[in-house]
Amino acid sequence: MMQFKQSPVIFDEDSHSYQLDGKRLLGITGLIHSILGLGVYPDASEHVKDFIIPRAGSRGTAVHHAIQTYDQLGIKQTTQIVHTRYGCRERDNISYVDETWDVSSELEAYIRHLNGFKPLANELTVSDNVRYASQIDNVWQYEKTGGIWLVDTKTNNIKLYPLCGYYNANYFNSGEDALKEYLSWQLSIYAELFEAENPGLKVEGLACNWLKADADAFWVIERKPSELVLELLKTTYFFSDNGPVYFHPDQSVFGIGSTLPAEVKEQTPIVAPDVVDYFTSLLKTYKEAEAKLEEAKTALRAAMTEHKVKSFDFGSFSATIGADSVSTSFDTKTFKKDHPELYKKYASSKAKKGSFTIKLKDND
């Protein structure tokens, strides 16, 4: 039996989160959504986000569990119970339900797709051990060649799958094409991480088991160039109150903006929309807080002046009224014009880093 490296990354299935030595790592779904604009449901209502999508995800989890049980034990456990979370923390409507699913059709389709392959591993964790981690649904061996195939299982309704891609709302002609492009990036990332963690092993192929109760397909998926995948994995992120915010300095390397008219290209943002939204929210908060702070400072200074208090310690902060003074300034520009040689004699130069300014527009 072929052995693969066991990643030190810890995966928590309930929260679907990854940790390494106490540090949180992110999966790659948000990365692909945010930087490439693939697989994003932009028009989803709160009801769809809170209930319809989690319910579909619950059935998908049931399918994954049935496949893993079959691969590891040879048992067709077609009835699966999934502890499913509905709702949203921000809307304070979270609830948990134990959903029971019959996934016999999906499991039989999976077994048909497995013909000619040998299952080697399920839910294999791979990571760059710096920023990203993920679990490969299936690692198969092609019996004819002995080669390794990385296989993902999808249960999406492709009739409803978003056609957006690379920040173009109608980039694809069909949900199937859109899902395959998403899979191409997802599985290509898996391949890079798998090969990095298992030196000497090469991935021969990528594929997807698309499984629905009334339809199924086995797709061979194209692998993206390594240089593009590694560039995508350089994407940094930081955590905001609303979740992770991703940043890549040049999304054009992934083709974003290349299909836009010339007059629009210059306005194409170099960061994902959620980064723009995050900064806009911070700037608005800062502007409002700054105005309130100035108002409060004026009132506090007036109160301290009235009570003839120059300095006071309030516990969590202190306030001090400085003494009035007269400042003297030197007109460098005029002096340089009137006495250029003398100015040159006493002037010195040193490198200074350029400033960085973020300004909230008035209409925002």
Side-chain angles (χ1 to χ4, degrees), residues 34-77:
S34 183
I35 300 301
L36 303 177
L38 294 166
V40 182
Y41 291 82
D43 300 321
S45 66
E46 291 183 358
H47 176 73
V48 169
K49 291 178 181 177
D50 292 354
F51 298 100
I52 303 301
I53 293 177
R55 182 171 174 77
S58 177
R59 186 178 185 92
T61 299
V63 172
H64 280 77
H65 286 174
I67 288 172
Q68 187 169 4
T69 301
Y70 178 79
D71 282 350
Q72 295 179 354
L73 302 176
I75 299 174
K76 295 181 180 180
Q77 191 171 5

Side-chain angles (χ1 to χ4, degrees), residues 255-289:
I256 296 173
S258 61
T259 60
L260 298 176
E263 63 272 15
V264 179
K265 284 185 182 180
E266 294 182 359
Q267 300 175 12
T268 302
I270 64 167
V271 296
D274 55 353
V275 178
V276 177
D277 292 342
Y278 179 69
F279 273 100
T280 301
S281 175
L282 286 180
L283 288 168
K284 286 181 177 179
T285 302
Y286 175 77
K287 184 177 181 180
E288 294 168 359

Side-chain angles (χ1 to χ4, degrees), residues 150-171:
L150 306 184
V151 184
D152 195 69
T153 297
K154 295 294 186 194
T155 58
N156 303 74
N157 184 340
I158 55 176
K159 293 180 180 178
L160 300 178
Y161 196 79
L163 303 180
C164 60
Y166 306 104
Y167 294 97
N168 184 325
N170 294 292
Y171 190 90

